[in-house]
């Protein structure tokens, strides 16, 4: 994901001379240093100073720059929430909501692995989606990263994009051109617009709403459900947690009668909460949330990350089981 | 270009009054920190910053980032005076639906930074400055940070970043007023050195050996300038030096007094975030309007070594250096001419208050401007509507204050009345000019009684300078007459300890001012209001001193 982000940034840098990239001593890890080599004047590494990272970005944005600021999730919403709120989201020049800063974090969620619980950010979706003017994006694969980077660069306003640390299986297939348009591996209509969910697989008996690394798991879970129980499972990629696609959710609730959510985040306040908030107001159906159960993470070596996820129930098998076990509200 | 001292000073006064008006209307807000930075913002708004109130988003404008956002009333009041919005809008401060939020907000066009959460404005300024550099724009970024918010680590993160990136278009003022919300900074978290339990905060102001803040910033790679932040001439000079500095950012450590110009607020942590009561507003305004200026006249000293006299006055912390220029024609004797003014100019930044006792001043005024005068006063006896108009234009165009003087036997001429709204200073001579060591002419008191209403009715917004025979004994009565600037010859410059004499003068005037304000309180609300006014004074010896004056005057019982 980080490589895709880095390449997308360079494309944006070529396209727009006002694109500036900021880092905080994680620029090799996030691979934004490549942008720095390409555009040395437009790249600032402020050292291990995340508050300064965010507020300097705000200052640059206030003067017309499109700023991408990146580090690990645990050090962005996890550390600099005051600066994010008061310096980026709150100032609204000429009535436009917030400043033009894109906070892009990697190392979101449990899949951070070996670094342990101190580095596994499980609260960021919750923090970021409660801040007015922020839009929150969670890409499922490198294609989504490229497309969302493009989208954020071309749309005014503050964004938070949360990437996973480790390699994720492709959901949207090869040949992503960064345009955000086109058909993915599923053949479904997939576009990366804020406020939209992608229906990756149609289904009529239940829905799994996922984001980030859980999207590919959800597709596996759908396969399992069909194979084992002939249950037809719809899979939604909720890459835009805020704004959330209430229309697609309502349709899923109405047509499939039950919704399971899965994310590598605390179930309090995360994508699952956002889905529940939306559906309970539009078309209430039984909902089950999978995620960290108000708990912290812990170390797991790379090969053991599935075990860590499993401890919190984040597996295709559990997703299939929980989705199948949910009481289904019949279509009215 | 002159200092523009008088223009800045009068606008700073207007802004201070608006702070009182706004916070009193709101019933909350932060006057203390607004007043400590008043002269800093004055020099920025009325001299150095480039901006256009009708086009607040002009891309090449200079930016002012108020990091210590709680001082919003100070920012808004200057924006009103500068023309961003009507002064009356200050009445909406902190009200529902107002653009003038509790802390600076982009909702109000012209505000550059949403301050409030402390410690972030410097980082923001670095970002703005870097953007200007990327775009090759000529704009400068001015930032005002507080000493309390310097507790925040992010200030120092930004300090390192500004240094690393060499942002030379960034000038930061540290409003070093020594007070944060809980108490004195040097008790809560010392920036200089820890304050002992029994010490007053003024101890920190007075002892440069204890100052460490500059060292901190120097260690972070900044160009450091240290000044008295209430001295317009020092703020002005520091800004010029900051602009000339190349290769990195500049911080101007401005030692200031929280609540400056309102005695009961000065150095009083209670006034960090509290609004004045509405009934006190007229009294506070009167206090703001009656700030005094001590202007020692160097010809009372050693005429063979005037340079030494200037230095003595500067070290004695005079407000002005009063220069009596005599040509031997308008007055019988000669002192010195413009060459001497020019020669003395490099000795101090203190404003030169040049009093031209010469014939045909309109033919010479330019020379005194070029020599570095900050105020030039000419005599009514040798000017008329045409020549004074010419003089006034020349002075104004060059940022020099405009003064008009009248001799003891002269009344303010009819032709001068139309000029009064744009005159900065009226010198009322209380001796016959030309000889030193004369006694104060007592009939000047009656003359002042005639003059003050005329000045008021004709829109005069400057101040009257009393010149001649003013001393410690009569300073109070001269103040009571309406004079706000005091030329001290024999009473200051002829004494062996100029500094002590100036301090004595200030005390005499301060006592007179306290009495005037008590009198006003008595008139507005009787002994009840007098008691409450006295009770506002809590720091040091002030409560006892103010009460004694009130008792002596019979406003309260002994």
């Amino acid at each position: 994901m980080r490589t895709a982000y880095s390449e997308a940034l360079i494309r944006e840098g070529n396209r727009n001379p006002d694109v500036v990239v900021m880092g905080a001593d994680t620029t090799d890890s996030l691979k934004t240093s490549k942008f720095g080599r390409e555009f040395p004047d437009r790249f600032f590494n402020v050292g291990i100073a995340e508050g300064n990272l965010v507020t300097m970005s705000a200052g640059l944005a206030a003067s017309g720059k499109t700023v991408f600021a990146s580090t690990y999730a645990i050090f962005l919403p996890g550390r600099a929430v005051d600066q994010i709120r008061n310096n980026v989201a709150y100032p609204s020049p000429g009535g436009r909501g917030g400043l033009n800063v894109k906070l892009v974090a990697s190392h979101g969620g449990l899949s951070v692995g070996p670094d342990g619980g101190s580095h596994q950010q499980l609260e960021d979706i919750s923090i970021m989606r409660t801040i007015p003017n922020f839009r929150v994006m969670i890409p499922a694969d490198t294609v989504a990263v490229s497309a969302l980077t493009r989208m954020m660069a071309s749309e005014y306003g503050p964004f938070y994009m949360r990437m996973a640390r480790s390699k994720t299986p492709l959901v949207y297939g090869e040949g992503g051109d960064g345009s955000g348009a086109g058909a993915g591996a599923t053949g479904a209509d997939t576009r990366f617009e804020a406020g939209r969910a992608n229906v990756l697989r149609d289904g009529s008996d239940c829905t799994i709403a996922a984001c980030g690394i859980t999207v590919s798991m959800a597709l596996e879970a759908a396969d399992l459900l069909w194979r084992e129980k002939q249950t037809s499972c719809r899979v939604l990629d909720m890459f835009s947690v805020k704004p959330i696609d209430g229309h697609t959710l309502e349709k899923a609730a109405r047509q499939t009668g039950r919704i399971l959510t899965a994310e590598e985040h605390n179930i309090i306040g995360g994508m699952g909460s956002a889905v529940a908030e939306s559906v309970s107001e539009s078309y209430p159906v039984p909902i089950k949330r999978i995620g960290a159960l108000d708990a912290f993470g812990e170390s797991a070596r790379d090969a053991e990350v599935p075990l860590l996820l499993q401890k919190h129930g984040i597996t295709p098998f559990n997703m299939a089981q929980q989705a199948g076990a949910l009481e289904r509200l019949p279509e009215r | 270009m002159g200092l523009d001292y008088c223009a800045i000073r009068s606008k700073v006064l207007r802004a201070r009054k608006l702070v009182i008006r706004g916070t009193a209307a709101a019933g909350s807000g932060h006057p203390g920190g607004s007043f400590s930075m008043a002269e800093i913002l004055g020099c920025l708004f009325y001299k150095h910053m480039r901006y256009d109130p009708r086009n607040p988003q002009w891309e090449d404008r200079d930016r002012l980032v108020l990091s210590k956002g709680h001082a919003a009333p100070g920012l808004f009041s200057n924006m009103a005076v500068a023309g961003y919005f009507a002064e009356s809008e200050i009445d909406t401060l902190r009200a529902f639906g107002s653009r003038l939020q509790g802390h600076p907000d982009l909702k109000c066009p012209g505000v550059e930074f949403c301050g409030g959460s402390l410690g972030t404005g410097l980082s923001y300024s670095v970002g703005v400055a870097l953007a200007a550099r990327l775009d090759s724009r000529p704009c400068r970024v001015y930032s005002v940070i507080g000493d309390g918010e310097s507790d925040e680590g992010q200030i120092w993160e930004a300090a390192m970043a500004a240094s690393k990136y060499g942002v030379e278009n960034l000038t930061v003022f540290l409003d070093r007023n020594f007070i944060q919300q809980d108490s004195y900074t040097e008790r809560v978290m010392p920036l200089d050195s820890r304050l002992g339990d029994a010490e007053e905060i003024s101890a920190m102001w007075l002892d440069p050996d204890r100052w460490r803040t500059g060292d901190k910033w120097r260690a972070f790679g900044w160009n450091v300038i240290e000044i008295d932040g209430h001295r317009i001439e020092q703020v002005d000079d520091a800004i010029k030096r900051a602009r000339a500095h190349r290769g990195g950012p500049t911080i101007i450590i401005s030692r200031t007094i929280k609540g400056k110009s309102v005695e009961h607020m000065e150095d009083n942590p209670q006034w960090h975030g509290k609004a004045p009561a509405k009934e006190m507003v007229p009294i506070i305004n009167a206090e703001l309007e009656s700030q005094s200026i001590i202007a020692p006249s160097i010809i009372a000293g050693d005429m063979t070594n005037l340079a030494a006299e200037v230095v003595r006055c500067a070290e004695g912390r005079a407000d002005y250096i009063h220069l009596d220029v005599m040509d031997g024609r308008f007055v019988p004797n000669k002192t010195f001419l413009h060459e001497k003014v020019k020669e003395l100019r490099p000795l101090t930044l203190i404003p030169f208050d040049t009093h031209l006792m010469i014939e045909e001043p309109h033919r010479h005024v330019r020379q005194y401007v070029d020599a570095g005068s900050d105020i030039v006063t000419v005599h009514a006896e040798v000017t008329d509507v045409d020549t004074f108009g010419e003089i006034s234009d020349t002075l104004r165009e060059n940022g020099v204050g405009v003064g008009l003087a009248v001799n003891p036997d002269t009344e303010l001429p009819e032709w001068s009345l139309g000029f009064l709204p744009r005159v900065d200073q009226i010198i009322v001579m209380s001796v016959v000019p030309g000889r030193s060591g004369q006694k104060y002419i007592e009939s000047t008191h009656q003359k002042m009684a005639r003059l003050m209403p005329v000045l008021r009715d004709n829109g005069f917004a400057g101040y009257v300078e009393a010149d001649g025979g003013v001393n410690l004994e009569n300073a109070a009565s001269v103040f009571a007459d309406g004079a706000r600037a005091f030329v001290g010859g024999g009473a200051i410059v002829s004494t062996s300890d100029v500094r002590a004499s100036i301090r004595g003068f200030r005390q005499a005037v301060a006592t007179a001012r306290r009495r005037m304000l008590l009198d006003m309180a008595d008139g507005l609300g009787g002994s009840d209001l007098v008691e409450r006014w006295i009770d506002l004074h809590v720091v040091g010896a002030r409560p006892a001193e103010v009460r004694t004056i009130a008792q002596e005057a019979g406003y309260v019982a002994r």
Side-chain angles (χ1 to χ4, degrees):
Chain A
M1 281 192 177
R2 288 172 269 167
T3 303
Y5 174 52
S6 165
E7 287 166 358
L9 281 181
I10 291 170
R11 279 197 296 277
E12 296 308 322
N14 278 315
R15 196 175 266 143
N16 179 357
D18 280 330
V19 168
V20 170
V21 172
M22 308 281 296
D25 200 38
T26 51
T27 64
D28 272 338
S29 170
L30 274 116
K31 307 195 195 307
T32 55
S33 54
K34 287 184 186 162
F35 183 97
R37 283 193 284 279
E38 205 72 29
F39 309 103
D41 292 346
R42 292 193 265 149
F43 175 75
F44 302 98
N45 185 345
V46 302
I48 308 166
E50 293 78 14
N52 195 38
L53 172 83
V54 174
T55 316
M56 266 179 69
S57 300
L60 281 150
S63 302
K65 300 300 169 194
T66 300
V67 186
F68 283 84
S70 296
T71 188
Y72 303 151
I74 195 75
F75 306 132
L76 264 176
R79 185 167 182 124
V81 69
D82 165 58
Q83 291 83 353
I84 292 170
R85 180 196 185 275
N86 282 312
N87 299 146
V88 176
Y90 183 71
S92 297
R96 295 214 275 186
L99 293 172
N100 204 16
V101 176
K102 327 294 174 181
L103 299 175
V104 178
S106 80
H107 292 54
L110 292 162
S111 61
V112 164
D115 281 337
S118 64
H119 280 53
Q120 292 163 3
Q121 172 68 280
L122 306 182
E123 304 84 15
D124 53 336
I125 301 173
S126 177
I127 293 168
M128 293 308 300
R129 75 186 187 88
T130 196
I131 299 177
N133 292 331
F134 256 94
R135 287 176 278 180
V136 179
M137 303 294 135
I138 303 169
D141 70 2
T142 52
V143 175
V145 166
S146 300
L148 288 174
T149 304
R150 173 83 270 271
M151 184 275 289
M152 292 191 295
S154 50
E155 277 204 36
Y156 180 87
F159 278 91
Y160 175 65
M161 181 165 89
R162 179 211 222 204
M163 302 188 292
R165 166 178 166 258
S166 40
K167 252 186 153 39
T168 45
L170 274 181
V171 171
Y172 288 96
E174 303 287 350
D177 60 357
S179 69
T186 58
D189 174 24
T190 54
R191 279 177 290 136
F192 292 93
E193 292 162 7
R196 194 175 189 282
N198 280 334
V199 183
L200 295 185
R201 181 167 306 174
D202 204 2
S204 53
D205 298 329
C206 66
T207 296
I208 300 179
C211 63
I213 65 164
T214 58
V215 174
S216 64
M217 294 182 188
L219 290 168
E220 275 185 57
D223 287 341
L224 271 174
L225 280 164
W226 182 249
R227 238 184 7 246
E228 309 279 324
K229 298 181 175 166
Q230 282 72 56
T231 301
S232 163
C233 177
R234 189 176 297 188
V235 175
L236 305 182
D237 177 6
M238 304 303 301
F239 65 87
S240 175
V241 173
K242 182 189 173 188
I244 199 151
D245 187 346
H247 175 72
T248 298
L249 284 171
E250 184 187 340
K251 213 162 91 178
R254 195 182 291 277
Q255 294 173 350
T256 74
R258 49 188 167 166
I259 298 177
L260 179 99
T261 69
E263 60 194 318
E264 51 166 341
H265 185 276
N266 194 336
I267 61 160
I268 297 175
M271 179 271 288
S273 294
V275 168
E277 287 161 12
S278 176
V279 169
S280 66
E281 286 188 348
S282 64
Y283 194 87
V285 295
I287 288 179
K288 171 74 184 172
R289 293 168 296 153
I290 287 178
L293 292 165
D294 198 17
F296 294 112
E298 64 201 279
S299 281
R301 294 179 183 170
D302 285 341
E304 298 167 331
V305 165
L307 294 176
L308 173 59
L309 292 168
Q310 187 179 32
K311 182 173 175 181
H312 294 271
I314 307 170
T315 64
F317 179 76
N318 189 46
M319 286 156 75
Q321 204 168 37
Q322 300 283 348
L326 260 180
E327 190 194 341
R328 181 169 185 264
L329 196 75
E331 194 172 350
R332 280 168 291 185
Chain B
M1 188 66 191
L3 177 56
D4 251 340
Y5 181 91
C6 295
I8 294 170
R9 191 173 189 268
S10 74
K11 287 177 176 167
V12 167
L13 168 63
R14 261 167 77 189
R16 273 203 173 93
K17 287 164 76 175
L18 287 174
V19 168
I20 294 298
R21 178 172 162 181
T23 53
S28 66
H30 298 74
S34 297
F35 283 2
S36 56
M37 65 171 190
E39 281 76 16
I40 293 169
L41 259 55
C43 287
L44 289 174
F45 269 100
Y46 313 119
K47 181 152 182 197
H48 288 284
M49 279 202 310
R50 299 179 338 132
Y51 57 92
D52 179 1
R54 284 154 306 173
N55 181 14
Q57 297 307 312
W58 174 40
E59 288 188 325
D60 286 344
R61 71 192 183 277
D62 290 339
R63 266 74 164 180
L64 173 62
V65 173
L66 182 63
S67 185
K68 40 169 285 184
H70 51 280
L75 175 64
F76 295 150
S77 58
N78 280 288
M79 289 177 68
V81 173
Y84 281 93
F85 46 83
E87 291 189 6
S88 57
E89 194 168 336
I90 205 79
D91 293 333
T92 71
L93 181 71
R94 292 178 159 237
F96 182 62
S98 172
R99 299 188 293 181
L100 307 184
Q101 296 279 298
H103 291 79
D105 197 298
L106 304 192
K107 288 182 181 77
C108 179
V111 170
E112 299 287 354
F113 172 66
C114 291
S117 183
L118 292 173
T120 60
L122 189 53
S123 299
Y124 193 86
S125 304
V126 175
V128 174
L130 285 171
R133 186 165 85 188
L134 281 174
D135 293 342
S136 305
R137 292 194 189 285
C139 51
R140 294 199 63 85
V141 181
Y142 296 99
S143 194
V144 182
I145 66 172
D147 47 4
E149 72 168 333
S150 299
D151 297 351
E152 292 277 7
Q154 196 178 341
I155 289 285
W156 306 98
E157 296 177 9
M160 281 192 279
S163 185
K164 172 186 172 183
Y165 290 110
V167 279
E168 63 185 25
N169 54 345
L170 173 64
T171 300
V172 177
F173 284 92
L174 172 64
D175 182 2
R176 181 72 173 116
N177 61 33
F178 295 97
I179 290 178
Q180 57 195 107
Q181 185 160 315
D182 267 355
S183 180
Y184 300 123
T185 55
E186 307 314 271
R187 294 222 170 98
V188 178
M189 186 52 65
L191 265 180
D192 282 326
S193 69
R194 195 166 172 166
L195 192 70
D197 288 343
E199 285 183 291
E200 298 274 345
I201 195 62
S202 52
M204 292 304 307
W205 241 96
L206 298 174
D207 186 0
D209 288 343
R210 296 172 72 172
W211 298 347
R212 302 278 179 275
T213 312
D215 296 339
K216 290 182 169 72
W217 286 92
R218 270 184 287 272
F220 276 75
W222 285 56
N223 176 40
V224 176
I225 300 171
E226 305 204 32
I227 61 166
D228 173 342
H230 294 302
R231 292 264 182 177
I232 287 169
E233 67 276 13
Q234 290 191 25
V235 177
D236 173 74
D237 179 68
I239 295 172
K240 287 183 196 152
R241 284 157 62 195
R243 292 169 68 143
H245 180 72
R246 291 288 167 267
T250 295
I251 184 159
I252 300 170
I253 295 174
S254 313
R255 264 166 288 274
T256 57
I257 293 173
K258 203 148 189 170
K260 172 72 177 174
S261 294
V262 178
E263 190 181 14
H264 68 261
M265 294 183 182
E266 287 187 358
D267 279 345
N268 181 352
Q270 287 178 11
W271 288 95
H272 166 80
K274 188 167 105 173
K278 284 203 172 90
E279 62 270 31
M280 299 300 183
V281 170
I283 313 175
I284 293 171
N285 280 339
E287 183 168 3
L288 291 172
E289 284 166 1
S290 57
Q291 300 297 305
S292 53
I293 289 167
I294 309 296
S297 165
I298 57 168
I299 60 162
D302 180 358
M303 284 294 289
T304 66
N305 193 356
L306 289 172
E309 298 299 344
V310 169
V311 171
R312 267 174 14 111
C313 294
E315 286 172 353
R317 303 190 177 174
D319 298 306
Y320 290 170
I321 306 292
H322 190 79
L323 302 171
D324 292 297
V325 176
M326 303 184 188
D327 64 356
R329 291 165 61 209
F330 178 69
V331 286
N333 47 355
K334 285 189 184 177
T335 51
F336 50 80
L337 300 175
H338 59 91
E339 298 90 342
K340 180 57 89 178
V341 176
K342 190 168 191 173
E343 184 187 318
L344 298 174
R345 182 67 277 189
L347 295 173
T348 180
L349 294 172
I350 293 175
F352 275 5
D353 178 26
T354 304
H355 182 181
L356 296 183
M357 284 166 275
I358 61 174
E359 293 283 352
E360 300 186 300
H362 61 285
R363 292 184 53 200
H364 304 286
V365 67
R366 179 85 223 182
Q367 294 166 319
Y368 291 90
V369 168
D370 294 342
S373 301
D374 297 299
I375 303 158
V376 171
T377 302
V378 297
H379 266 264
E381 295 82 6
V382 286
T383 45
D384 58 27
V385 68
D386 293 329
T387 56
F388 189 76
E390 193 184 309
I391 288 166
S392 165
D393 289 346
T394 302
L395 295 176
R396 208 153 279 284
E397 281 159 18
N398 288 283
V400 176
V402 180
L404 181 63
V406 285
N407 276 337
D409 295 337
T410 313
E411 296 294 321
L412 203 60
E414 193 68 28
W415 61 256
S416 71
L417 301 182
F419 288 106
L420 287 178
R422 292 183 299 123
V423 169
D424 299 300
Q425 160 168 299
I426 300 282
I427 294 185
V428 176
M429 294 300 302
S430 41
V431 296
V432 177
R435 287 181 296 116
S436 64
Q438 301 176 69
K439 281 187 66 176
Y440 183 85
I441 298 171
E442 289 299 322
S443 63
T444 312
H445 293 308
Q446 287 83 53
K447 182 175 183 177
M448 284 292 287
R450 291 193 302 277
L451 180 66
M452 293 308 290
V454 174
L455 294 179
R456 194 180 54 235
D457 294 346
N458 286 280
F460 177 69
Y463 44 85
V464 172
E465 183 171 75
D467 186 1
V470 183
N471 54 37
L472 282 179
E473 285 70 47
N474 62 21
S477 63
V478 173
F479 174 88
D481 289 341
R484 295 294 174 261
F486 303 86
V487 176
I492 294 177
V493 178
S494 305
T495 63
S496 59
D497 187 345
V498 167
R499 189 164 176 173
S501 303
I502 289 176
R503 198 179 302 138
F505 239 93
R506 285 197 203 285
Q507 272 161 12
V509 173
T511 302
R513 180 170 53 236
R514 284 166 166 178
R515 184 173 173 144
M516 179 191 83
L517 300 173
L518 287 163
D519 183 58
M520 199 169 169
D522 185 57
L524 288 170
S527 61
D528 176 54
L529 193 61
V530 171
E531 281 290 354
R532 286 166 57 209
W533 177 256
I534 295 170
D535 287 345
L536 289 174
H537 299 75
V538 296
V539 175
R542 287 177 208 159
E545 288 169 5
V546 175
R547 181 165 294 281
T548 303
I549 295 167
Q551 286 170 341
E552 283 169 359
Y555 298 131
V556 292
R558 278 176 198 271

